[in-house]
Amino acid sequence: MTASVRTIVAVAVLLASALLLSACGDAPKEERAESGGGAAGRETASAEAPADAYKAGEPTFVTIGTGGISGVYYPAGGAIANMVNLKRDKYNIRATVEATGGSVFNINAVIAGDLQFGIAQADRQFQAVHGIAEWQERGPQKKLRAVFSLHPETVTLVAGEDTGIRDIRDLKDRRVNIGNPGSGQHQNSLDALNAAGLDLGDIQAVEVKATEAIEMLEAGTLDAFFYTVGHPSAAILKIARGKRKVRIVPIVGVDTLFVLHPYYVPSSINMHYYPGAADAGTAVESFGVKATLVTSSDVPASIVYAVTREVFENLEAFKAQQPAFAGLTKMGMLQGLSAPIHQGAARYYREAGLE
Ligand code: GLU
C-alpha cells in the first residue's frame, strides 16, 4: 500500500469509528492504529484475580491484536475496544487496537504477553491448542484461552478476470498470494490447494499481506490471492471497484477438506456486496471458519469479565458498528471455541445464564 493510500484508509477508518462512536455516545480517545503497546497493560496477576477487582488510580491498558487495516479484524477490534472504553469510569480500563499480521501473529503475541487479546480464526485457535500446523514444534499452547466468537469468515479467492481463472484448479502455474506467514489464510490456502489436487510447487506462490496482494493484483503483478475474511469486506469492495476487473472464484469439489479438517464448514459469499466484480451469480461457494477473540490465562479475570460483559450486555450497539457482525447471536458467540473459556468470560456466562 502506498503512503497516500494508507493515509486515506487510516483516515476513513478513523472517520467511521468516530461516526459509530458518536452513535454510541462517546469518542475513541484511546484507539490507535499501530503501536508496540500492551506492555503497560501486562499484569503479573494470575487468572485467579477476583473478577471485580477494579482499581482506582492508574488505568489498566489492554491492547487487542487485529489484522491489516483494510480487513474486518481491525474495525472488529475497534468495536470491542469501544464497548469497554465507553465504561472507563466503571472499569478504569483503556482498550486500544493494534494492526498486525493476523491470526497466527495474534495467538503468539497473546501467549507471549505482548498483547492482552487477539482476534484469531477458529481453526488457528484449534491448531494452537492441539499443537499442530504452526505450533507443531512448540506443542500445545496451554495458556491460550477463548473469550467468544465473532463473525463468520470465508476463504475468498480473488482473481483478475483477464486471467481466465474460473476454478481453484486453474491456479496451476499462476502467481498466487497464499498470505503472509502470520495470517490465518496462509494455511487455509494450502489446505484448499491440496484438496483440489495441487500443491505449492504447482503455483508461483507469493506470501504477502492482503493489502499488498490487492495492490499487486491491481498492478497486474499477481494473478490471484486468497483472503480469509468476513463479508462485506471493505478490501474486497475496493478491489471489486478497481480498474482491473476481478472475479471471486468458487472453491468447490474440495470435500476432503471437511473430512480432514473438522473446523472447516461450507460457506458462501453474497455477491450483492460486490456489484463491481465479474458476474458470478448471487453467491459464490467456498468454505470458512469463525473469527474468535482469544486471550491468555495470564490476563486477570476482572479484565476479561469486563470485555465480555460490555460486548454481550450491549450486543445490538456492538453489532451496529460492523456490517459483518449482522448475524451475531449470544448463543452463536459461544460456538467455535476450542481453547478453554477464560474464567473471567466464564463468570459472565454463568451470571447471564448462557452456559
Ligand atoms: N482472517 C485473517 C487472518 O487471520 C484476517 C482477516 C481480517 O483482517 O479481517 O489473518
Side-chain angles (χ1 to χ4, degrees), residues 66-68 70-74 101-104 119-121 124 151 153 180 182-185 188 227-230:
T66 60
S70 58
V72 174
Y73 283 11
Y74 187 72
S103 289
V104 174
I119 306 183
Q121 293 175 197
R124 306 317 233 139
H151 56 283
E153 298 186 88
N180 56 297
S183 71
Q185 54 266 11
N188 303 150
Y227 193 14
T228 305
V229 72

Side-chain angles (χ1 to χ4, degrees), residues 43-243:
E43 299 199 355
T44 48
S46 76
E48 302 307 316
D52 51 0
Y54 307 127
K55 297 175 291 302
E58 282 302 298
T60 298
F61 290 91
V62 299
T63 305
I64 305 168
T66 60
I69 57 168
S70 58
V72 174
Y73 283 11
Y74 187 72
I80 296 168
N82 291 341
M83 301 319 292
V84 184
N85 290 339
L86 285 170
K87 294 287 175 64
R88 60 183 60 187
D89 292 346
K90 180 172 178 183
Y91 301 117
N92 208 10
I93 295 173
R94 305 288 185 269
T96 61
V97 297
E98 185 174 324
T100 74
S103 289
V104 174
F105 178 95
N106 294 340
I107 289 174
N108 289 335
V110 160
I111 291 166
D114 295 330
L115 294 171
Q116 287 65 50
F117 294 93
I119 306 183
Q121 293 175 197
D123 52 324
R124 306 317 233 139
Q125 188 187 132
F126 180 95
Q127 291 159 354
V129 164
H130 293 279
I132 51 179
E134 274 88 341
W135 296 274
Q136 185 122 32
E137 287 191 357
R138 279 172 290 160
Q141 300 300 301
K142 298 200 162 66
K143 280 189 174 183
L144 192 64
R145 293 290 178 273
V147 185
F148 48 74
S149 68
L150 289 161
H151 56 283
E153 298 186 88
T154 306
V155 181
T156 306
L157 175 58
V158 181
E161 172 68 349
D162 51 16
T163 62
I165 296 169
R166 296 283 187 275
D167 183 278
I168 184 171
R169 291 156 194 86
D170 297 336
L171 294 179
K172 196 165 175 7
D173 299 327
R174 300 307 187 109
R175 296 164 301 179
V176 183
N177 186 47
I178 60 168
N180 56 297
S183 71
Q185 54 266 11
H186 193 270
Q187 187 66 43
N188 303 150
S189 30
L190 296 179
D191 290 341
L193 288 167
N194 287 342
L198 298 174
D199 63 34
L200 220 42
D202 292 322
I203 61 168
Q204 295 179 46
V206 178
E207 293 180 301
V208 297
K209 292 182 176 173
T211 43
E212 204 178 325
I214 289 170
E215 287 173 7
M216 288 175 70
L217 194 81
E218 273 186 337
T221 53
L222 198 64
D223 297 314
F225 66 82
F226 288 96
Y227 193 14
T228 305
V229 72
H231 294 282
S233 146
I236 303 295
L237 185 60
K238 175 178 175 288
I239 192 155
R241 285 185 171 153
K243 53 185 184 300

